[in-house]
Amino acid sequence: MKSSIELNSNALKMRKILNEDSSSPIDIFSLINNLKSVTLIFYPMSDRISGMCIREESSKIIGINSNMSYGRQRFTAAHELYHLFFEKKFKSVICEKEIGESKSDSEKEADKFASYLLAPYDSLRNYLEENNILDNHKLTIEDVINMEQYYQLSHQAMLYRLASDGYCDWDTFENFKISVSQKAIRLGYDDKLYKASQEERKYFSIGEYVKKVEELKQKDLISNGKYEELMLDGFRADIVYNLGNEGIELND
């Protein structure tokens, strides 16, 4: 199994590919949308599955379980990038929800990579130092919520990272594995991080597929009917029926 140092290095390489710096929180979905050949599909899956990915020649597909929390969906997207860009002998994989030591080496590597991609090692270390959470400070649930909100990591992923990097013990990890959305609200945060996709986004796609269909239509290579059919196949009824545009678009 690859070392944490190597996986953090891979995560920093991925950040360069995404044209991001080595420390800031990132909007993983928008960045993936800019990657050539990658399509993101949001789809309700089994409670045991967080997502999946497929690589066929130049095409790459990431499936995200839209029933999972927004924080977990972000972690899953980062996890799948590891399979797609850093595993050579790979075609497809279905990834389980649980994060822990019972998984295969490949899955544990992808989990660590995802954590380092969203919260690079030095970035998290600096955060802990600047907020006086090292040394004799006893980690609190409020500390964990503040960190997961800053990096937009799911609660379980944040706890696992802190425990695996030695910032808290595994007893603390187990004790803090509780529902925290109400506490986060009382700390002044939005609870989006802890909620699943809204109904209109349970079935949705972004990325290369949508771009390709649009390109075919612009070049008059497909009829309007075929264009609509392909968009509907890609769960983009909003484009076909011009939905979700009730509000007034403001220019900043």
Side-chain angles (χ1 to χ4, degrees), residues 176-188:
F176 283 1
K177 283 174 65 177
I178 57 175
S179 176
V180 295
S181 59
Q182 288 303 309
K183 186 173 284 291
I185 290 172
R186 292 186 177 93
L187 288 173

Side-chain angles (χ1 to χ4, degrees), residues 183-199:
K183 186 173 284 291
I185 290 172
R186 292 186 177 93
L187 288 173
Y189 294 110
D190 189 292
D191 62 353
K192 176 183 177 180
L193 192 66
Y194 312 103
K195 288 186 173 181
S197 298
Q198 296 181 347
E199 285 304 315

Side-chain angles (χ1 to χ4, degrees), residues 30 46 62-63 94 130 137 144 151 168 171 177 205 222 240 242:
S30 293
S46 161
I62 294 175
I94 296 175
E130 291 172 1
H137 177 87
V144 177
Y151 290 109
C168 72
D171 286 338
K177 283 174 65 177
S205 70
I222 55 174
V240 174
N242 198 31

